[in-house]
């Protein structure tokens, strides 16, 4: 609900959404609170002022377009569909989304209520059984759909007749669809029809029929007026008349005339004032009864909204805790992985150093063995030389002696 207030004028707005479907000439509530027990076969009643309405249809107050779209998706999921040869998700019913805007204006102690309603209607397409191939229950559904569309055509044809024609009868009541939408078709409304046609040659007859149908609907002319609360307007008029009568009475009393006609006029004015006051008191009593009747519903809706907000806050807090815990675990695992990677790098470095040292020791040992072998060979050569020299010395000694 949106509020617009200044020092003189106070305006209050309320937007309500209702969603229903007409299936097999019966009205179903698509936004029922209990999804397991969708309301079937709701009755269409006639209000003496506002016109036809669906009794027992759930009403949902919204504050944004997103909430309206959410309700539209919920209702769309509950619609009746079936597969045919021409469409896997063929609509077997007519759907009506009703958005009501209520403006309440309070100024100078007077209350004025204006109401505007937008009916968005999704009509199921007419079917030819030879093409769709439906049988059994689907055949009965197609018959009901075609019946309601035929009645709609009759209504449009009747609305196009001259107003001066005697005994013009609009067959609204021949179908639940036309009876529900009677105010939108020929009442205080502006109507727009969007026709969807096929460009394929095989559908030329249906396309031509649909275009003729839409052209007739385009020619309907309605007289549009502002929807105001007649009860409140009457109260305001009576209050103004009462004030005028009081002023007139005071003016006549100030004249202090003894004329009999003036006295009779004063008595008449007093009687009119009493009748006006009685009418005003009755109107005010009815207004208070209506306010008391709907105050409980408003409180219940406000309590549900508050409960939903609290539940959403709890879920948000729980999600925040889960995210914090998950981030903590991810950080710990990341730290472990980093330490493991560091240890692997260190292990690889140590392994490389050890391998290098092993290669160096191996090279040193081989070099030492080679040098030792060379020294041993040199030593053997020296020993052989010494032995040869010793033999020569011995021979010399023998020669000398």
């Amino acid at each position: 609900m949106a509020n617009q207030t200044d020092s003189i004028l106070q305006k209050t707005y309320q937007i309500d959404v209702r969603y229903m479907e007409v299936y097999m000439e019966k009205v179903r509530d698509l936004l029922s609170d209990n999804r397991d027990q969708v309301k079937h076969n709701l009755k269409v009643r006639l209000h003496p002022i506002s016109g036809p309405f669906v009794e027992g249809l759930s009403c949902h107050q919204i504050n944004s377009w997103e909430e309206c779209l959410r309700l539209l998706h919920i209702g769309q999921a509950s619609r009746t569909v079936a597969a045919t040869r021409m469409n896997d998700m063929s609509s077997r019913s007519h759907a009506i989304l009703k958005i009501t805007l209520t403006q309440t204006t309070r100024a100078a102690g007077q209350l004025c209520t204006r109401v505007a309603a937008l009916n968005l209607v999704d009509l199921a397409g007419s079917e030819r059984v030879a093409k769709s191939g439906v049988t059994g229950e689907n055949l009965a559904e197609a018959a009901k759909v075609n019946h309601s569309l035929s009645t709609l055509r009759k209504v449009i044809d009747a609305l196009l007749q001259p107003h001066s024609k005697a005994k013009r009868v609009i067959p609204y009541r021949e179908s639940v669809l036309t009876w529900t939408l009677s105010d939108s078709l020929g009442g205080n409304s502006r109507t727009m029809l969007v026709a969807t046609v096929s460009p394929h040659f095989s559908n030329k007859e249906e396309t031509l029929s649909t275009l003729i149908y839409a052209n007739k609907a385009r020619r309907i002319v309605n007289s549009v007026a502002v929807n105001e609360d007649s009860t409140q307007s009457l109260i305001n008029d009576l209050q103004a008349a009462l004030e005028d009568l009081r002023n007139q009475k005071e003016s006549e009393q100030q004249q202090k005339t003894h004329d009999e006609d003036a006295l009779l006029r004063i008595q008449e004015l007093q009687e009119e004032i009493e009748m006006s006051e009685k009418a005003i008191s009755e109107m005010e009593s009815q207004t208070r009864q209506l306010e008391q009747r709907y105050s409980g519903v408003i409180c219940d809706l406000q309590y549900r909204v508050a409960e939903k907000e609290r539940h959403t806050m709890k879920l948000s807090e729980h999600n925040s805790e889960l995210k914090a815990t998950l981030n903590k675990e991810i950080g710990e695992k990341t730290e472990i992985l980093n330490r493991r990677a560091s240890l692997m790098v260190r292990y690889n470095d140590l392994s490389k150093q050890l391998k290098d040292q092993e290669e160096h020791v191996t090279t040193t040992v081989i070099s030492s063995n080679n040098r030792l072998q060379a020294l041993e060979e040199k030593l053997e050569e020296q020993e052989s030389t010494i032995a040869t020299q010793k033999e020569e010395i011995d021979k010399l000694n023998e020669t000398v002696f």
Side-chain angles (χ1 to χ4, degrees), residues 192-253:
M192 181 179 68
L193 187 144
V194 179
T196 57
V197 297
S198 171
H200 198 271
F201 180 76
S202 62
N203 298 321
K204 63 176 183 178
E205 295 182 1
E206 290 85 348
T207 298
L208 181 60
S209 175
T210 301
L211 292 176
I212 295 174
Y213 188 86
N215 184 55
K216 288 184 178 180
R218 184 174 60 87
R219 292 160 51 196
I220 296 176
V221 178
N222 293 329
S223 299
V224 182
V226 177
N227 290 324
E228 292 186 346
D229 187 353
S230 58
T231 302
Q232 192 61 44
S233 299
L234 180 60
I235 291 175
N236 294 335
D237 294 340
L238 290 175
Q239 287 178 344
L242 178 61
E243 188 65 24
D244 292 339
L245 290 174
R246 285 175 177 172
N247 294 334
Q248 188 175 358
K249 178 182 177 182
E250 291 175 357
S251 176
E252 291 183 356
Q253 286 179 349

Side-chain angles (χ1 to χ4, degrees), residues 231-283:
T231 302
Q232 192 61 44
S233 299
L234 180 60
I235 291 175
N236 294 335
D237 294 340
L238 290 175
Q239 287 178 344
L242 178 61
E243 188 65 24
D244 292 339
L245 290 174
R246 285 175 177 172
N247 294 334
Q248 188 175 358
K249 178 182 177 182
E250 291 175 357
S251 176
E252 291 183 356
Q253 286 179 349
Q254 289 176 358
Q255 294 179 1
K256 296 181 180 180
T257 178
H258 300 285
D259 187 73
E260 293 181 357
D261 293 338
L263 293 175
L264 291 174
R265 178 59 180 166
I266 291 174
Q267 291 177 357
E268 291 176 357
L269 291 175
Q270 289 178 346
E271 291 176 357
E272 291 179 1
I273 290 172
E274 291 176 355
M275 294 176 63
S276 300
E277 289 177 345
K278 183 177 180 181
I280 290 174
S281 64
E282 291 177 355
M283 293 294 181

Side-chain angles (χ1 to χ4, degrees), residues 64-74:
S64 64
W65 170 245
E66 289 77 9
E67 294 183 15
C68 181
L69 191 61
R70 180 181 62 83
L71 293 175
L72 179 62
H73 289 322
I74 292 175

Side-chain angles (χ1 to χ4, degrees), residues 321-335:
E321 292 176 357
L322 289 177
K323 287 181 179 178
T325 304
L326 181 60
N327 290 332
K328 183 178 179 181
E329 291 179 357
I330 290 174
E332 291 176 353
K333 290 183 178 180
T334 303
E335 184 179 357

